[in-house]
């Protein structure tokens, strides 16, 4: 005990810096967990959480979600959109980071980095405005070109064949530069003597990227993959809610948008809490499973 107190006194400045982060998670992450009880109640705003009657049976709202005729469709859409964003969204950030890392001109390197991560700070409303300006069937720049050259337009924003591609593509454009920052930090931590030894052995840049750079950031890639798997049921509510329309519901309606329409707009907060709890449990199982698989290759988070 005395040793612990001595350690705290020695590093008290670091512990003080840690307090705001702990307070954030305590207030906004852990404290709201007690509200999950409304998933098992027929919650009424007037009665409050504790005075609202318990649901009969206790799994009433879970069963309502499961028995919904749209359950299979929205669950499949959520998984597929999230999976596409992981499979197609992670490599561009890694590739961009490795390309920037290989740039030797400092000013050009900083300029590319700045330009690439600026889209991260744009809201999805602005991004949708840009997508609409390019892909609108009536006045979009792309469709004007298509009309001039192939004499017909393509309904990108209302087509079930194109909508997921637009979702994933806009997500990559918005997040690739920002995610590259993490990979660049990992690349900067690789021992430079490894590259020098590889050059002495006659290895070219591609060889060094494949045998030194990629293995050097493998742990970071695995960590981010595990974290993304934990949010696989969060397919991007903000983006989809702004971009989707009734024409693309069959391929774009996800759990969050369905809950927003059926649960929150109809003041069925118990349903929203039940689905949120369901998503959290699935995410927890996926994170634990992914971490166990990663530990077999010595790359687990814990």
């Amino acid at each position: 005990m005395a040793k612990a107190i001595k350690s705290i006194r020695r590093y008290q400045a670091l512990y003080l810096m840690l307090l705001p982060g702990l307070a954030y998670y305590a207030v906004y992450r852990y404290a709201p967990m007690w509200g999950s009880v409304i998933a098992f109640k027929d919650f009424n705003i007037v009665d409050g959480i504790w005075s609202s009657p318990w649901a009969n049976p206790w799994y009433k709202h879970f069963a309502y979600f499961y028995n919904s005729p749209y359950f299979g469709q929205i669950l499949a859409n959520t998984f597929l959109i999230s999976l596409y964003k992981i499979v197609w969204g992670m490599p561009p950030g890694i590739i961009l980071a490795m390309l920037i890392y290989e740039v030797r001109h400092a000013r050009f390197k900083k300029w590319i980095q700045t330009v690439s991560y600026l889209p991260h700070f744009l809201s999805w409303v602005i991004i949708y405005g840009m997508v609409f300006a390019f892909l609108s069937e009536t006045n979009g720049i792309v469709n004007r070109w298509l009309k001039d050259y192939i004499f017909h337009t393509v309904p990108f924003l209302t087509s079930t064949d194109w909508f997921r591609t637009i979702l994933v593509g806009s997500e990559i454009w918005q997040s690739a530069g920002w995610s590259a920052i993490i990979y660049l930090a990992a690349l900067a931590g690789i021992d430079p003597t490894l590259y020098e030894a590889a050059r002495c052995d006659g290895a070219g840049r591609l060889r060094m990227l494949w045998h030194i750079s990629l293995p050097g950031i493998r742990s970071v890639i695995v960590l981010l993959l595990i974290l993304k798997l934990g949010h696989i049921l969060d397919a991007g509510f903000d983006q989809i809610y702004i971009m989707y329309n009734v024409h693309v519901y069959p391929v774009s309606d996800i759990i969050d948008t369905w809950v927003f329409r059926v649960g929150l707009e109809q003041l069925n907060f118990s349903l929203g809490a039940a689905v949120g709890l369901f998503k959290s449990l699935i995410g927890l199982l996926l994170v634990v499973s992914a971490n166990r698989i990663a530990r077999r290759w010595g790359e687990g988070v814990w």
Side-chain angles (χ1 to χ4, degrees):
M1 188 66 177
K3 193 173 182 180
I5 294 172
K6 186 178 179 181
S7 176
I8 292 172
R9 285 178 179 174
R10 183 180 178 184
Y11 299 106
Q12 58 182 342
L14 297 177
Y15 283 110
L16 286 172
M17 292 172 64
L18 188 64
L19 285 178
L22 292 176
Y24 168 81
Y25 279 96
V27 174
Y28 294 105
R29 299 294 182 179
Y30 288 97
M33 285 184 180
W34 70 277
S36 298
V37 71
I38 69 174
F40 307 98
K41 290 194 167 194
D42 290 325
F43 176 70
N44 185 291
I45 297 177
V46 177
D47 295 334
I49 294 177
W50 299 112
S51 299
S52 296
W54 292 96
N56 185 24
W58 63 269
Y59 54 85
K60 170 183 174 181
H61 302 292
F62 296 92
Y64 179 86
F65 174 57
Y66 178 77
N67 293 324
S68 167
Y70 304 104
F71 174 77
Q73 176 183 304
I74 61 176
L75 192 64
N77 287 341
T78 305
F79 269 109
L80 282 174
I81 292 173
S82 293
L83 187 63
Y84 291 159
K85 287 183 176 182
I86 292 173
V87 172
W88 297 106
M90 287 190 70
I94 298 169
I95 294 169
L96 180 62
M98 297 176 75
L99 291 175
I100 293 174
Y101 186 72
E102 289 296 316
V103 175
R104 295 292 176 255
H105 195 284
R107 283 190 179 181
F108 185 56
K109 186 175 185 176
K110 289 179 181 178
W111 183 81
I112 294 174
Q113 223 176 326
T114 303
V115 170
S116 65
Y117 71 64
L118 277 179
H120 175 77
F121 299 100
L122 298 178
S123 71
W124 282 113
V125 176
I126 296 173
I127 294 174
Y128 177 68
M130 297 170 67
V131 171
F132 187 83
F134 277 94
L135 302 179
S136 170
E137 188 175 6
T138 54
N139 298 313
I141 296 172
V142 173
N143 270 313
R144 285 184 180 181
W145 291 341
L146 292 176
K147 192 173 183 180
D148 291 338
Y149 289 102
I150 62 175
F151 308 109
H152 72 83
T153 58
V154 178
F156 292 106
L157 300 177
T158 56
S159 169
T160 55
D161 296 327
W162 284 97
F163 192 76
R164 286 176 181 167
T165 304
I166 294 169
L167 283 179
V168 176
S170 57
E171 171 86 8
I172 292 171
W173 180 77
Q174 193 240 19
S175 62
W178 187 256
S179 61
I181 296 174
I182 301 173
Y183 299 118
L184 279 169
L187 286 167
I190 298 175
D191 189 353
T193 58
L194 295 174
Y195 293 103
E196 294 174 7
R199 286 193 194 96
C200 292
D201 291 338
R205 285 192 174 185
L206 289 177
R207 287 278 185 179
M208 288 189 285
L209 286 174
W210 184 257
H211 293 287
I212 300 175
S213 299
L214 271 178
I217 63 173
R218 185 175 59 183
S219 59
V220 176
I221 295 172
V222 171
L223 171 62
L224 293 178
L225 177 61
I226 291 173
L227 293 176
K228 284 180 180 292
L229 286 175
H231 294 277
I232 199 166
L233 292 184
D234 296 324
F237 170 77
D238 295 345
Q239 178 194 20
I240 295 174
Y241 184 70
I242 290 169
M243 290 189 174
Y244 82 156
N245 52 72
V246 292
H247 301 287
V248 294
Y249 274 1
V251 297
S252 66
D253 201 18
I254 60 171
I255 292 174
D256 288 339
T257 54
W258 182 85
V259 169
F260 185 82
R261 289 198 317 275
V262 178
L264 300 185
E265 287 185 349
Q266 298 176 15
L267 302 183
N268 192 345
F269 299 109
S270 294
L271 175 64
V275 177
L277 193 58
F278 166 77
K279 286 172 54 181
S280 299
L281 291 174
I282 296 297
L284 176 63
L285 290 173
L286 287 172
V287 167
V288 172
S289 302
N291 186 70
R292 285 190 175 181
I293 294 171
R295 283 174 62 183
R296 296 183 179 181
W297 288 276
E299 298 293 346
V301 179
W302 69 88

